[in-house]
Amino acid sequence: MNAWAHHLIIAPVLVPLVASALLLLVDERQRLAKAMISLASTLVLTAIAICLFRIESGPNAFDGIYLLGNWAAPFGIVLVLDGLSALMLLLTALLAVPALIFSLARWHAVGAHFHSMFQILLVGVNGAFLTGDLFNLFVFFEIMLAASYGLLLHGSGPLRVKAGLHYIAVNLVAALLFLIGVSLIYGTAGTLNMADLAARIPEMEPDRRMLMEAGAAILGVVFLIKAGMWPLCFWLPTAYSAASAPVAGMFAIMSKLGIYIILRLTMLLFGEGPLAGFGANVLLYGGVATLVFGTIGVLASQALGRLAGFSVLVSSGTLLMVLGINDGAVSSGALLYLVSSTLTISAFFMLIELVERGQDAGANVLAVTMEAYGDADEQTADEEEGVTMPGTMAILGICFAACGILLSGLPPLSGFIAKFAMLSAMMGTGAIGVPPTAAIWTLIVLVILSGIAALISMTRAGIRTFWSSIEGTVPRVLVIEIVPVLFLLVLTLALTVQAGPVLQYMDLTIRTLSKPANYIDAVHNAVQVPGYQGPAARGTESN
């Protein structure tokens, strides 16, 4: 990795941070200027994410160690780019672009500072994926949450405010637990650098190891709240369904952030040594409970927003269950499932607003919001200026059917391939055993039943929406609104066509994660920039 490419590692944090600062300097009435700055920043971020992904998918594994201030680990802040973090950065960018474009049709104008909060959210999410220590994980976690509070409340309205206050209360408690867990770990191990922590755990005395386990358990609760594990998930369907469509589309990645951190820490800290398998049973049984709860919620949901919210829980439950199984072959399929389900759910949240626009129950939600904010006339002007999509109902119906196929895991799309990869590994191709045990068969049946439940619920909603007589007019959908949905669905089609190379990348990523010594050595042996007179060098000279 050359010097310029090396500095790209910090760019996913710096680019949206600088953009958010610039946006605060632009008057709120200059909406076009703010939109262009935000869109340019997001497109640049996407290009950077693609470059980092291509670099990491090459031969230089663990070459992406960035020492901020030129301080060597574990004393300085370390950003780590590997196969998993590069994948999550790319997924975040690919969600951000369509969500932002969708918001430009209407939603960015129904409240203040939308673009600034959107960029700050990207700072927090990207930083959490890149950071190599627990304290800065807490910092980026708080940045992400602070932006998500404002985005969830964006547009106001009693339902959104009620769900937002509940969401804020739950996540404030999670932040407090995060700080307590980090404090326990630091007091026990004397470090918060993940690589250094992994190296010190095997040398801990048994009494100190108990406090370490307590701190890790508290941290686990925090991340399980964010991932939406039962019984810590009751806030999620309400909050996600109450958010505006582009915000809910971005929130789809936030639940996967909890999954990412659990996977990262499980493989790095608890994959080998005296704490091997720590928390695996909690993940397994909690994942099963979440999957069952989400499946029941999907079947019971009458509103499409609630259906999408419970689909997030089904996805989280499946992934947590796989993490509890702790098998490499199953985890490879789970990574593909994570990407596919995130793209699908994000597209589904945005599609829901377009579908419900032609129904009495949902047609006036945005209009009421605009009127309350005093922008009803501007909304009408924007609609007159926008280009509408011909064949609206046909396109919406095709997109809805594609979302149903993906959520159900039916062939031939990527949802089926991901589930097939996981289930085939459970049935004997992985390290679980041949033939599979009764417990494994139970898990397989639950995954299949969750797909059937999604199929039933989506079919019922589709009949009610597209086949029943609608008294209202055909929804007026702008091109700028349907293109983001089509883009996300086309990405799932690309995953289907390139399933072989994608699964190979996922398998390589999991095999790399299962060797924590590589991660530890890469961070400890990271080379400081020669001749750089940063804080580290000046501090050495003064001593």
Side-chain angles (χ1 to χ4, degrees):
M1 183 182 294
N2 59 47
W4 285 107
H6 185 73
H7 288 296
L8 282 179
I9 297 174
I10 199 173
V13 176
L14 287 182
V15 170
L17 181 62
V18 172
S20 64
L22 289 177
L23 288 165
L24 290 174
L25 301 177
V26 180
D27 189 88
E28 280 297 316
R29 291 170 293 183
Q30 303 295 324
R31 288 174 181 163
L32 179 60
K34 294 177 79 75
M36 292 301 101
I37 294 173
S38 184
L39 182 59
S41 169
T42 308
L43 290 174
V44 170
L45 176 63
T46 304
I48 293 170
I50 293 172
C51 291
L52 292 176
F53 182 81
R54 294 185 62 182
I55 290 171
E56 191 54 40
S57 60
N60 297 324
F62 286 112
D63 196 21
I65 309 298
Y66 194 86
L67 305 176
L68 275 76
N70 211 31
W71 286 93
F75 307 106
I77 300 172
V78 178
L79 301 182
V80 181
L81 178 74
D82 62 356
L84 182 59
S85 57
L87 173 67
M88 299 306 292
L89 286 174
L90 180 59
L91 179 59
T92 302
L94 292 177
L95 290 181
V97 172
L100 182 60
I101 292 175
F102 188 98
S103 72
L104 297 182
R106 293 176 171 89
W107 278 108
H108 77 126
V110 301
H113 304 299
F114 173 83
H115 293 290
S116 297
M117 291 186 292
F118 190 90
Q119 295 298 319
I120 293 172
L121 180 73
L122 293 177
V123 172
V125 173
N126 291 338
F129 287 141
L130 284 171
T131 186
D133 67 274
L134 292 179
F135 180 77
N136 285 286
L137 178 61
F138 171 76
V139 172
F140 286 120
F141 194 80
E142 287 301 294
I143 292 173
M144 176 195 71
L145 288 178
S148 70
Y149 299 155
L151 288 173
L152 179 56
L153 294 170
H154 181 75
S156 190
L159 294 178
R160 191 168 294 127
V161 170
K162 181 180 178 181
L165 292 177
H166 189 190
Y167 173 83
I168 292 172
V170 169
N171 282 281
L172 285 177
V173 173
L176 177 61
L177 292 176
F178 200 145
L179 198 57
I180 293 172
V182 166
S183 301
L184 278 173
I185 292 175
Y186 183 73
T188 303
T191 183
L192 291 176
N193 182 278
M194 296 180 189
D196 200 41
L197 195 59
R200 294 189 186 192
I201 285 178
E203 303 173 358
M204 283 186 182
E205 298 85 355
D207 55 340
R208 295 175 61 200
R209 195 177 299 149
M210 292 178 62
L211 286 175
M212 174 69 193
E213 291 176 350
I218 294 174
L219 278 185
V221 172
V222 175
F223 304 137
L224 291 174
I225 290 174
K226 181 51 61 181
M229 190 186 84
W230 186 90
L232 307 172
C233 61
F234 296 106
W235 59 272
L236 192 149
T238 302
Y240 280 36
S241 60
S244 61
V247 171
M250 272 306 297
F251 277 14
I253 193 65
M254 289 174 58
S255 61
K256 301 306 184 292
L257 175 60
I259 301 292
Y260 164 85
I261 298 172
I262 292 171
L263 175 61
R264 169 75 70 192
L265 296 183
T266 298
M267 302 292 279
L268 182 61
L269 305 182
F270 311 123
E272 299 175 353
L275 296 183
F278 176 76
N281 288 335
V282 174
L283 295 177
L284 177 59
Y285 296 119
V288 169
T290 307
L291 180 58
V292 172
F293 178 74
T295 300
I296 294 173
V298 165
L299 283 173
S301 297
Q302 298 299 316
L304 288 176
R306 299 281 295 180
L307 171 58
F310 280 106
S311 296
V312 175
L313 295 184
V314 170
S315 173
S316 294
T318 303
L319 293 168
L320 290 171
M321 183 182 69
V322 169
L323 292 180
I325 293 174
N326 194 23
D327 174 74
V330 183
S331 298
S332 300
L335 276 185
L336 176 58
Y337 177 76
L338 182 152
V339 175
S340 175
S341 62
T342 304
L343 294 173
T344 303
I345 291 171
S346 180
F348 190 40
F349 271 119
M350 288 185 276
L351 180 64
I352 287 171
E353 182 190 313
L354 307 182
V355 169
E356 290 186 338
R357 193 173 291 168
Q359 303 177 16
D360 293 338
N364 296 322
V365 172
L366 183 59
V368 171
T369 302
M370 297 288 286
E371 184 178 357
Y373 196 73
D375 289 336
D377 294 336
E378 293 186 21
Q379 179 197 12
T380 303
D382 290 342
E383 288 183 349
E384 291 176 354
E385 294 176 2
V387 180
T388 57
M389 172 66 72
T392 299
M393 291 306 292
I395 295 175
L396 292 180
I398 292 172
C399 292
F400 192 91
C403 288
I405 292 172
L406 287 161
L407 291 175
S408 305
L410 294 178
L413 297 181
S414 58
F416 168 77
I417 297 174
K419 285 190 175 182
F420 182 81
M422 288 190 296
L423 297 182
S424 62
M426 289 183 187
M427 287 189 289
T429 59
I432 295 174
V434 181
T437 63
I440 295 300
W441 277 116
T442 302
L443 302 181
I444 292 172
V445 169
L446 287 176
V447 173
I448 295 174
L449 288 178
S450 68
I452 294 174
L455 178 63
I456 293 172
S457 194
M458 291 292 289
T459 302
R460 180 182 61 201
I463 291 173
R464 185 173 61 245
T465 303
F466 296 99
W467 286 2
S468 300
S469 59
I470 302 177
E471 295 180 359
T473 59
V474 174
R476 191 173 191 273
V477 176
L478 302 180
V479 173
I480 199 175
E481 292 174 313
I482 195 62
V483 167
V485 178
L486 292 172
F487 172 75
L488 292 172
L489 294 178
V490 167
L491 288 179
T492 64
L493 181 61
L495 286 177
T496 305
V497 175
Q498 296 294 322
V502 170
L503 280 172
Q504 290 178 4
Y505 180 86
M506 305 303 186
D507 183 63
L508 177 61
T509 299
I510 292 297
R511 284 192 280 111
T512 303
L513 290 175
S514 64
K515 299 176 182 177
N518 294 342
Y519 182 99
I520 297 170
D521 292 341
V523 173
H524 283 164
N525 298 328
V527 180
Q528 294 174 278
V529 179
Y532 172 68
Q533 296 297 316
R538 290 195 296 268
T540 303
E541 291 176 359
S542 64
N543 292 332

